[in-house]
Amino acid sequence: MPKRLDLEPSHLKSHLGYHLRVVSNAVSHTFARKLANLDVTVAEWVILREMYSYKTTTSPSTIAEITGLSRGAVSKLIDRLLNKDLVIREEASGDRRYQEINLTPKAKKLVPKLSEIADENDSSFFSLLSVAEKDQLRKTLLKLVELHKLNLNPIE
């Protein structure tokens, strides 16, 4: 059936994606402002938090794999974290091409504080929702993540 040209195009605000973006931007921008007070970006937080879970030395390629970021992006982030004394980088013994990355004691103390800020930020934005509504929203979003095979950590 041919498309009717006299139909009004869908309105911007009729799209779920529009509303998801409005909420996501507000949550992310508020979080970014709070992190800025501690001289950390959202992208740096993602790297630090993922490394914190490892509790051991890791490599830039492993960080890229677990975050879904490119090796180039990870390299730039690691350089920034090095300059902030939040990670240390060493050549692996026996293979100068392989680098080992680890959190500094400063970063190990900072990550729990950053996690608390993330928790408070979520709590603030989603406090209107009941526990059941939050659970349903999480399940729905995870269903979409799985369906579309989304594996990138949002960093902006």
Side-chain angles (χ1 to χ4, degrees):
M1 174 180 255
K3 212 174 189 182
R4 287 188 51 193
L5 299 177
D6 61 342
L7 292 178
E8 179 72 20
S10 61
H11 193 279
L12 176 67
K13 294 180 181 178
S14 69
H15 300 276
L16 284 174
Y18 170 83
H19 296 287
L20 280 171
R21 185 68 187 242
V22 168
V23 172
S24 176
N25 284 350
V27 172
S28 295
H29 292 160
T30 301
F31 184 51
R33 283 192 303 274
K34 292 173 181 177
L35 291 182
N37 292 332
L38 295 170
D39 192 30
V40 176
T41 67
V42 173
E44 292 166 351
W45 148 249
V46 168
I47 300 294
L48 292 171
R49 185 59 192 91
E50 292 295 346
M51 287 182 67
Y52 189 87
S53 292
Y54 266 72
K55 304 222 185 283
T56 88
T57 301
T58 190
S59 69
S61 59
T62 300
I63 294 168
E65 185 179 317
I66 61 176
T67 61
L69 299 172
S70 71
R71 294 272 321 258
V74 168
S75 179
K76 289 177 186 176
L77 288 165
I78 288 171
D79 286 343
R80 289 183 358 207
L81 293 168
L82 280 164
N83 290 334
K84 294 178 181 184
D85 191 35
L86 294 172
V87 298
I88 54 174
R89 175 172 48 199
E90 298 174 350
E91 290 178 358
S93 57
D95 188 350
R96 295 178 59 203
R97 294 170 296 164
Y98 184 81
Q99 297 176 350
E100 296 176 337
I101 309 296
N102 206 345
L103 296 176
T104 63
K106 177 180 172 182
K108 290 176 184 176
K109 290 179 184 174
L110 181 61
V111 170
K113 292 177 188 175
L114 300 175
S115 291
E116 189 175 315
I117 292 169
D119 294 343
E120 290 170 359
N121 196 59
D122 265 18
S123 180
S124 168
F125 269 90
F126 300 105
S127 62
L128 177 67
L129 301 178
S130 69
V131 171
E133 288 171 321
K134 287 180 209 175
D135 287 344
Q136 184 57 54
L137 178 58
R138 184 176 290 106
K139 285 178 187 174
T140 301
L141 293 173
L142 290 173
K143 185 177 182 179
L144 292 170
V145 165
E146 186 176 325
L147 173 70
H148 296 290
K149 297 176 179 25
L150 306 174
N151 64 352
L152 299 178
N153 278 308
I155 60 169
E156 294 181 9

